[in-house]
Amino acid sequence: MIGAAGFVAPRHMAAIKETGNVLVVAEDPNDSVGIIDSYFPEAKFFTEFERFDRFVDKIRRRGNPLDCISICSPNYLHDAHVRFAVRSGADVICEKPLVLNPWNIDGLMEIERETGKRINSILQLRLHPSIRELKQRIDADDNRLYDVDLTYITSRGGWYHSSWKGDEAKSGGVATNIGVHFFDMLVHVFGAPTKIDVHILDGKRVAGYLELKKARVRWFMSVSSDDLPRNIDEGQRTFRSITVDDEEFEFSSGFTDLHTESYRQILAGTGFSLEDVRPAIELVSKIRSCDLKHVSNDHHPFARSYLRSGN
């Protein structure tokens, strides 16, 4: 595993254990990785990538190569770490976003063809039971255009903006870092985008309007607690809401084992491919480069202002 000290790494450790596999070695420049003891206390650990590289190469040359390398490093390093993993003779399981730019996918596809190794990304929302059911319902009706509202606020403190996550060049910004799996879900369920407007874009929040093949989507994402609804429960720092034709779409439960299910499918050879990843990466890349559009009530028939409210 590359990147063992971050927020998402324990989900990968649990998935490795729950699928009957063993974490052989992990690397992270931060040594606050005591969580490894809860899963694989015998795992080797390195804080220098060079020593990790040497160990991986050594066991490969001794005829015991790694089968798979899981990548949980900062977003801007994913592409390089995927390439390292494949050159080391391993398949890859990479946390979202797989890469920051769509042209990076083209390069990885060439490496897959050259090596025969598989590069898989975690697109866990596609596996959520409620979202699978929603997709079946949408697929069954080709003549509908749905109105969708997506709001996702996950409050982050000052540390966030001092870390790589607050640097758009390294994280891709709010839409990529906290939103790419939601955009992947939207495109997966409602089809490819035909129109992209961005109304708000700063270091804390991003909002806009999408027209997809089967939906018109208003979306708002934020890492600021100032944007939480006034009527939210005291102490709650995350708010997530999706409505489809003004009906709340409930998917707050069912998240606990999605990484494990992702691993099961990947290890069975049915994980999500590079082409599966491409649409969402293209979308968040375009969002980063969009000119801001002014929001007004007549901007389009499904517009609104983004204001903090009790609703």
Side-chain angles (χ1 to χ4, degrees), residues 161-224:
H161 304 286
S162 297
S163 75
W164 63 267
K165 296 184 179 185
D167 184 342
E168 183 177 294
K170 293 182 176 181
S171 70
V174 171
T176 302
N177 195 50
I178 73 165
V180 67
H181 52 303
F182 284 105
F183 288 119
D184 175 77
M185 179 271 289
L186 289 171
V187 174
H188 178 60
V189 172
F190 296 103
T194 58
K195 180 181 176 66
I196 304 169
D197 286 347
V198 177
H199 303 146
I200 301 173
L201 180 63
D202 60 36
K204 294 184 178 181
R205 58 188 63 82
V206 59
Y209 170 74
L210 284 175
E211 288 184 2
L212 306 176
K213 181 180 179 181
K214 294 186 177 182
R216 300 181 298 177
V217 184
R218 298 183 300 196
W219 53 274
F220 177 81
M221 298 175 184
S222 172
V223 294
S224 173

Side-chain angles (χ1 to χ4, degrees), residues 172-278:
V174 171
T176 302
N177 195 50
I178 73 165
V180 67
H181 52 303
F182 284 105
F183 288 119
D184 175 77
M185 179 271 289
L186 289 171
V187 174
H188 178 60
V189 172
F190 296 103
T194 58
K195 180 181 176 66
I196 304 169
D197 286 347
V198 177
H199 303 146
I200 301 173
L201 180 63
D202 60 36
K204 294 184 178 181
R205 58 188 63 82
V206 59
Y209 170 74
L210 284 175
E211 288 184 2
L212 306 176
K213 181 180 179 181
K214 294 186 177 182
R216 300 181 298 177
V217 184
R218 298 183 300 196
W219 53 274
F220 177 81
M221 298 175 184
S222 172
V223 294
S224 173
S225 60
D226 292 339
D227 295 318
L228 290 169
R230 290 193 178 94
N231 62 352
I232 200 169
D233 292 341
E234 185 176 356
Q236 184 177 339
R237 295 184 57 79
T238 297
F239 176 79
R240 178 174 52 226
S241 173
I242 297 180
T243 62
V244 180
D245 286 348
D246 292 326
E247 179 182 346
E248 187 73 27
F249 174 66
E250 177 55 48
F251 70 119
S252 57
S253 60
F255 280 88
T256 54
D257 62 349
L258 291 183
H259 275 74
T260 298
E261 181 59 25
S262 297
Y263 267 69
R264 289 194 183 102
Q265 295 203 13
I266 290 168
L267 296 171
T270 58
F272 297 115
S273 69
L274 291 173
E275 281 300 340
D276 290 324
V277 172
R278 186 186 296 275

